[in-house]
């Protein structure tokens, strides 16, 4: 079993309104097969033993599913390994003697709560704006009773893989959330059950997104750091649906105006 001795430069911040600073910690005898979060657990256990404040960080499932483990490692959200969440990043991806810089996600829409923990509730507001599906689904149905072309089902599944971690926002120079919003829209808008509210959902979620996040200018950094490999092609689809939805709205307004004028 190979062990590593590492130097950590970790961002420490007591609260949202407190000044932050980097502090240096030694991570000694770290098992190369441990995850990044397990390494932080070891460091925290030693800090607690020394009666010092442990490093605060988000985590939950530790299986790459929940999206909680957001942090920037050596300047990259989730660290150097592609298609990998922080909790699934293993220490064998680093070398003995490395210095690792660990920071919270940096985005105006994600204010720091404490240390490496940020407030990602702006994502929740986008989801809430989308409402719910009114198509009655009833009990579980046979898988083949709703005919959906396999390419469409596969595409919807690709979008549904988004875990809402926020790495896309943290990597974007504009702090944009188009990839997250586009993925959440696409996995509903592509399927029959998502059609009744497709246009109103798109407008509501995009308009809410623009209240909190910056604009997309196609840097594609979001795609590069997404742990689920979600393509920026979904952003193009979202933009098309948004334009179509606004056009439909304009036609409805014209129709109402013409009806009132005739009456």
């Amino acid at each position: 079993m190979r062990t590593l001795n590492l130097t950590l430069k970790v961002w420490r911040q007591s609260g949202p309104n407190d000044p932050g600073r980097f502090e240096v910690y030694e991570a000694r005898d770290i098992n190369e097969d441990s995850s990044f979060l397990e390494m932080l657990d070891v460091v925290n256990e030693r800090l607690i033993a020394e009666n010092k404040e442990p490093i605060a960080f988000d985590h939950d499932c530790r299986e790459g599913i929940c999206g909680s483990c957001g942090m920037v490692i050596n300047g990259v959200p989730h660290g150097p390994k592609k298609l990998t969440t922080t909790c699934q990043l293993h220490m064998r991806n680093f070398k003995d003697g490395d210095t690792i810089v660990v920071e919270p996600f940096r985005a105006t829409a994600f204010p720091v709560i404490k240390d490496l923990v940020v407030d990602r509730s702006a994502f929740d507001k986008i989801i809430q704006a989308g409402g719910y599906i009114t198509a009655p689904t009833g009990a579980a149905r046979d898988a083949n009773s709703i005919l959906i072309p396999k390419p469409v089902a596969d595409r919807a599944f690709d979008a549904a893989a988004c875990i809402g971690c926020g790495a896309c926002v943290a990597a974007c120079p504009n702090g944009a959330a188009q990839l997250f919003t586009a993925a959440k829209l696409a996995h509903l808008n592509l399927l029959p059950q998502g059609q009744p509210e497709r246009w109103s959902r798109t407008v509501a979620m995009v308009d809410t997104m623009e209240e909190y996040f910056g604009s997309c200018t196609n840097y594609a950094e979001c795609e590069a750091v997404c742990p689920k490999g979600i393509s920026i092609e979904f952003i193009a689809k979202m933009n098309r649906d948004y334009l179509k939805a606004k056009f439909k709205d304009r036609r409805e307004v014209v129709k109402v105006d013409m009806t009132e004028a005739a009456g």
Side-chain angles (χ1 to χ4, degrees), residues 76-151:
V76 181
H78 291 302
K81 189 174 176 62
K82 285 187 174 294
L83 304 176
T84 305
T85 55
T86 302
C87 64
Q88 294 294 295
L89 176 67
H90 290 88
M91 299 311 297
R92 54 181 171 269
N93 292 287
F94 300 92
K95 300 191 298 293
D96 185 50
D98 276 356
T99 296
I100 305 173
V101 180
V102 191
E103 305 171 71
F105 282 172
R106 304 290 191 180
T108 302
F110 292 161
V112 175
I113 297 174
K114 184 176 182 180
D115 296 342
L116 306 176
V117 180
V118 299
D119 181 358
R120 286 175 277 192
S121 61
F123 272 2
D124 298 331
K125 292 180 173 64
I126 295 174
I127 297 299
Q128 290 164 5
Y132 60 95
I133 298 295
T134 59
T137 57
R141 302 174 64 178
D142 181 82
N144 295 320
S145 63
I146 300 177
L147 299 179
I148 303 172
K150 189 176 187 305

Side-chain angles (χ1 to χ4, degrees), residues 113-258:
I113 297 174
K114 184 176 182 180
D115 296 342
L116 306 176
V117 180
V118 299
D119 181 358
R120 286 175 277 192
S121 61
F123 272 2
D124 298 331
K125 292 180 173 64
I126 295 174
I127 297 299
Q128 290 164 5
Y132 60 95
I133 298 295
T134 59
T137 57
R141 302 174 64 178
D142 181 82
N144 295 320
S145 63
I146 300 177
L147 299 179
I148 303 172
K150 189 176 187 305
V152 174
D154 289 346
R155 198 71 174 138
F157 186 82
D158 289 343
C162 172
I163 57 176
C165 66
C168 52
V169 176
C172 178
N174 303 330
Q178 266 78 0
L179 191 64
F180 165 79
T181 308
K184 294 302 180 184
L185 279 168
H187 86 266
L188 296 175
N189 288 358
L190 285 166
L191 299 177
Q193 299 91 330
Q195 297 311 305
E197 291 83 27
R198 177 177 179 177
W199 309 112
S200 59
R201 178 192 306 116
T202 299
V203 171
M205 291 179 68
V206 171
D207 286 351
T208 302
M209 172 194 71
E210 290 178 346
E211 292 179 23
Y212 298 94
F213 297 92
S215 298
C216 175
T217 48
N218 292 319
Y219 280 97
E221 291 293 329
C222 53
E223 179 182 280
V225 301
C226 177
K228 299 302 176 181
I230 295 173
S231 170
I232 59 171
E233 291 176 7
F234 286 115
I235 298 177
K237 176 173 175 51
M238 177 184 72
N239 291 338
R240 287 195 300 270
D241 274 8
Y242 185 77
L243 289 174
K244 288 179 181 178
K246 299 300 273 186
F247 179 68
K248 286 176 179 289
D249 287 347
R250 287 198 297 271
R251 287 195 302 180
E252 291 300 322
V253 170
V254 171
K255 187 185 300 181
V256 171
D257 289 346
M258 291 177 66

